[in-house]
């Protein structure tokens, strides 16, 4: 029997639901800091059978008085939690500061709470299959590995720009470093573009290195071939960023707009070039089966950045034909960014996107399970990204309509990540009561202690690494998680897993 709650707490006005694995009594007590019972609420009589448990719920939304509490049911207690105005503020700051520690190519200082180290990967990279050397220093390491890949970089940047956009009015302190931090990545992305507009898919060593610090990975850096997925994502992000930075640094914004147009022109004259790891390269593939969604995203962003009709026409044509039954915010499938950003288009394109987004939000609502998330049967590698992504779509639907069902569901995605899940972890390192201590993150492994502010990938039902295969045989989907640094398919960390959580918290703040 366990009582699952958001371990970072709740704001006074939030819907608050405890999820119980078992039901030893029919009521739940709310106990305050002095040990006094301040409220008794009923536990649902009916259970949902999910992931090996009979799961019940208890609504304690009536608790609105700021303070510290625990929930009690029979002899069982929850972790202590708070009711306060800004329960996620320090977590948000740490999630953004994580990106600083992913920086490649400069000395890192310890002040923001992570691991300092000298500049890494400072040499030139060789273009695969040639002797040509290119200077592509900078940017963020992708994850627990030190590769730098355009496709996931684009997802990260798009999320962060949405986070900023969604928070323009509320102004949350954790986000203030974003323009500076994003620029570090954008400057690197600009270096990854060839003169003809095409964008290299990635720069990594040939193989993943051992568990060493970044500056200790000294094998040759290789630039992998141009792909149209990378080029489409690049065009979209540069156009989006050119609007974002227009009022901050006009010259930088103009450079990005020019790069976006050059990438779009490359796409316009080029058929699909879908990436596969070439012979000898075994780092992250970030492969794809279509570049249609990346092209659509690029059309929309160029239309918004330039106001030119040819892009708006291309966007409308692509919108009319693309499958609008889902709106993923993935690294491979970027349709969701098109749906969200397309809301700003005028006329038919804008209304198609509104219909699209709300249709998807309704289908998410219809799938929500006893833990508040939409995935039940199988959870993919990086499922906490998918949970956060769903939260972003739901938050956007709430912003469009003011319908509280969307907002409550968006909040549930956050509660799941921060403790209301089958394994009871708060999945952000350094936060919560039951913490992730052994992420697949090389600097944490080397230092023997986890760097704070990193979102673990979370349960993945496919058992796709040796540690998962050893420890998780027969585990239900939602419990296919192990806090072991060997389990890269359940417990790695990643820039594009932090970024949708940043966007979700920003949207809810
Ligand atoms: O596309 C198929 C889909 O058709 C099928 O239904 C589904 C069923 O499992 O699988 C889908 O493929 C999955 C793919 O992601 C796309 O979602 C693969 O099984 C799954 O193994 C794959 O996982 C990716 C993993 O790399 C392995 O390629 C993760 O999404 C991705 O986040 C992860 O990224 C790694 C980089 O390669 C290296 N850097 C670290 C980073 C994070 O772990
Ligand atoms: O560290 C790598 C991680 O970023 C990847 O997501 C993962 C799967 O591609 O691979 C990790 O590297 C391991 C490699 O695949 C196999 N040898 C051990 C490496 C470190 O655990
Ligand atoms: Zn590096």
């Amino acid at each position: 029997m366990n009582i699952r709650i958001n371990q970072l707490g709740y704001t006074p006005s939030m819907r608050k639901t405890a999820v119980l694995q078992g039901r030893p009594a029919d009521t739940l007590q709310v106990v305050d800091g002095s040990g006094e019972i301040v409220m008794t609420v009923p536990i649902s009589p009916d259970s949902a059978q999910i992931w090996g448990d009979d799961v019940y719920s208890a609504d304690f939304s009536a608790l609105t008085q700021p303070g510290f509490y625990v929930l009690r049911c029979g002899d069982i207690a929850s972790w202590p939690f708070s009711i306060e105005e800004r329960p996620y503020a320090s977590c948000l700051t740490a999630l953004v500061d994580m990106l600083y520690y992913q920086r490649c190519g400069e000395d890192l200082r310890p002040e923001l709470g992570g691991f300092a180290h000298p500049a890494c990967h400072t040499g030139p990279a060789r273009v695969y299959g040639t002797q040509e050397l290119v200077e592509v220093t900078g940017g963020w390491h992708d994850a627990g590995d030190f590769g730098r890949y355009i496709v996931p970089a684009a997802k990260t940047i798009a999320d962060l720009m949405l986070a900023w956009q969604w928070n323009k009015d509320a102004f949350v302190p954790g986000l203030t470093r974003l323009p500076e931090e994003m620029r570090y990545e954008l400057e690197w992305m600009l270096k990854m573009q060839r003169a003809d507009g095409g964008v290299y898919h990635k720069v990594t060593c040939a193989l993943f290195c051992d568990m060493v610090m970044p500056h200790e990975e000294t094998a040759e850096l290789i630039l992998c071939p141009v792909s149209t997925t990378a080029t489409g994502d690049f065009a979209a992000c540069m156009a989006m960023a050119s609007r974002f930075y227009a009022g901050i640094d006009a010259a930088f914004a103009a450079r990005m707009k020019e790069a976006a147009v050059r990438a779009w022109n490359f796409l316009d004259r080029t058929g699909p070039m879908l990436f596969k790891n070439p012979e000898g390269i075994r780092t992250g593939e970030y492969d794809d089966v279509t570049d249609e969604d990346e092209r659509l995203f690029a059309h929309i962003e160029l239309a918004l950045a330039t106001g030119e009709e040819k892009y708006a026409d291309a966007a409308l044509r692509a919108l009319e034909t693309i499958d609008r039954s889902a709106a993923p915010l993935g690294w491979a499938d970027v349709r969701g960014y098109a749906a969200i950003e397309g809301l700003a288009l005028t006329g038919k394109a804008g209304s198609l996107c509104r219909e699209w987004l709300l249709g998807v939000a309704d289908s998410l609502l219809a799938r929500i399970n006893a833990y508040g998330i939409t995935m039940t049967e199988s959870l993919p590698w990086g499922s906490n990204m998918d949970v956060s992504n769903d939260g972003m779509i739901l938050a956007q639907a709430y912003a469009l309509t003011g319908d509280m069902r969307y907002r409550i569901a968006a909040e549930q995605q956050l509660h799941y990540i921060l403790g209301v899940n089958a394994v009871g972890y708060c999945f952000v390192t350094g936060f919560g009561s039951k913490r992730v201590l052994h992420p697949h993150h090389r600097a944490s492994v080397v230092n023997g202690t986890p760097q704070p502010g990193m979102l673990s990938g979370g349960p993945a039902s496919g058992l796709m690494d040796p540690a998962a295969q050893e420890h998780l045989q027969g585990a239900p989907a939602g419990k296919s998680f192990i806090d072991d640094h060997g389990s890269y398919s359940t417990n790695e960390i990643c820039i594009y897993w932090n970024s949708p959580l940043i966007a979700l918290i920003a949207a809810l703040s």
Side-chain angles (χ1 to χ4, degrees):
M1 156 71 196
N2 294 290
I3 305 172
R4 304 301 196 205
I5 50 145
N6 183 330
Q7 295 167 26
L8 299 196
Y10 302 84
T11 67
S13 64
M14 266 180 171
R15 168 77 61 85
K16 307 169 194 78
T17 307
V19 170
L20 290 83
Q21 295 169 320
R23 190 179 191 264
D26 46 20
T27 58
L28 184 78
Q29 278 84 47
V30 181
V31 180
D32 74 7
S34 63
E36 201 179 316
I37 297 174
V38 294
M39 193 180 292
T40 299
V41 297
I43 299 173
S44 63
D46 301 326
S47 68
Q49 270 85 47
I50 174 170
W51 300 331
D53 294 306
D54 289 334
V55 171
Y56 300 81
S57 65
D59 188 326
F60 61 103
S61 305
L63 183 69
T64 58
Q65 181 65 34
F68 287 98
Y69 304 92
V70 294
L71 303 180
R72 220 176 262 154
C73 181
D75 305 337
I76 311 291
S78 72
W79 298 110
F81 64 94
S82 65
I83 305 285
E84 56 183 308
E85 283 303 332
R86 292 199 172 283
Y88 318 118
S90 58
C91 182
L92 180 63
T93 301
L95 287 164
V96 172
D97 290 347
M98 172 269 197
L99 297 167
Y100 170 81
Y101 290 103
Q102 296 295 109
R103 284 190 187 192
C104 183
E106 71 170 25
D107 292 354
L108 297 188
R109 300 167 280 107
E111 286 90 77
L112 299 179
F115 299 117
H117 65 78
C120 54
H121 306 104
T122 50
R126 182 171 60 80
V127 178
Y128 182 84
T130 75
Q131 292 308 314
E132 185 189 348
L133 296 179
V134 185
E135 196 275 307
V136 287
T137 53
W140 299 315
H141 299 138
D142 184 47
D145 68 322
F146 305 136
R148 288 167 288 149
Y149 312 80
I150 289 293
V151 161
K155 168 172 171 53
T156 314
I157 288 288
D159 290 337
L160 298 175
M161 281 190 286
L162 288 175
W164 185 272
Q165 196 172 302
W166 287 344
N167 209 262
K168 274 200 299 265
D169 306 320
F171 189 77
V172 168
L175 298 179
T176 50
R177 276 194 347 90
L178 270 188
E180 170 204 340
E181 198 52 54
M182 285 193 290
R183 184 168 182 157
Y184 196 78
E185 182 77 342
L186 288 162
E187 293 278 9
W188 163 73
M189 289 175 79
L190 287 167
K191 295 181 184 179
M192 293 289 282
Q193 186 178 36
R194 278 192 324 212
D196 69 355
V199 179
Y200 293 111
H201 196 75
K202 62 173 176 173
V203 56
T204 70
C205 301
L207 309 174
F208 289 120
C209 64
D210 293 335
M211 288 290 158
V212 298
M213 289 298 281
H215 61 285
E216 293 169 326
E217 185 185 58
T218 53
E220 182 188 36
L221 289 172
I222 301 165
L223 267 168
C224 275
V226 166
S227 68
T228 48
T229 50
T231 306
D233 277 339
F234 175 98
C237 276
M238 287 298 160
M240 194 178 182
S242 75
R243 285 190 291 140
F244 180 90
Y245 285 90
I248 301 175
D249 181 338
F252 181 47
R255 255 169 77 211
M256 290 193 287
K257 196 196 278 191
E258 183 278 328
V261 169
R262 204 146 35 91
W264 192 90
N265 287 335
F266 179 92
L267 284 181
D268 195 39
R269 58 174 192 267
T270 314
M273 292 167 64
L274 300 176
F275 186 81
K276 283 282 162 209
N277 264 340
E279 165 117 52
I281 305 288
R282 289 212 222 113
T283 47
E285 193 161 48
Y286 292 113
D287 56 329
D288 208 333
V289 291
T290 174
D291 65 10
E292 257 186 88
D293 49 312
E294 287 81 5
R295 287 176 190 261
L296 168 64
F297 184 22
H299 299 328
I300 290 175
E301 291 300 343
L302 274 129
L304 295 173
T306 66
E308 282 178 37
E309 222 167 288
K310 76 168 178 190
Y311 302 117
D313 290 346
L316 180 57
R317 261 180 283 124
L319 271 173
E320 281 173 327
T321 51
I322 205 148
D323 174 4
R324 298 190 304 278
S325 63
L329 299 166
W331 51 260
D333 193 336
V334 296
R335 274 179 290 164
Y337 298 101
I340 292 174
E341 287 289 281
L343 293 169
L345 295 171
T346 53
K348 182 160 185 217
S351 41
L352 268 183
C353 289
R354 187 186 163 96
E355 213 174 274
W356 180 6
L357 193 117
L358 294 178
V360 169
D362 287 340
S363 73
L364 295 180
L365 284 185
R367 292 209 304 275
I368 279 180
N369 68 25
Y371 287 95
I373 68 166
T374 64
M375 297 168 291
T376 304
E377 300 309 320
S378 80
L379 273 66
W381 186 318
S383 61
N384 283 339
M385 173 191 84
D386 298 80
V387 172
S388 308
N389 287 350
D390 286 348
M392 289 175 66
I393 296 287
L394 290 160
Q396 177 68 75
Y398 170 67
L400 278 180
T401 62
D403 185 337
M404 278 307 284
R405 289 174 311 148
Y406 297 130
R407 181 166 177 111
I408 290 166
E411 290 172 357
Q412 281 179 297
Q413 309 311 303
L414 182 63
H415 299 327
Y416 172 93
I417 298 276
L418 301 178
V420 184
N421 53 69
V423 287
Y425 279 95
C426 173
F427 283 117
V428 179
T429 57
F431 288 84
S433 299
K434 182 171 178 183
R435 297 186 176 195
V436 172
L437 298 176
H438 308 287
H440 182 87
H441 173 249
R442 283 170 169 71
S444 297
V445 175
V446 170
N447 287 281
T449 178
Q451 181 171 282
M454 308 187 294
L455 176 61
S456 165
S461 45
L463 308 191
M464 290 164 284
D465 63 68
Q469 282 152 14
E470 185 182 338
H471 300 288
L472 298 173
Q473 288 302 334
K479 292 183 179 170
S480 297
F481 173 78
I482 178 157
D483 182 17
D484 178 325
H485 67 69
S487 185
Y488 43 78
S489 76
T490 79
N491 200 28
E492 191 165 352
I493 61 86
C494 212
I495 55 173
Y496 58 92
W497 298 343
N498 268 47
S499 60
L501 184 56
I502 290 169
L504 176 58
I505 298 176
L508 295 176
S509 293

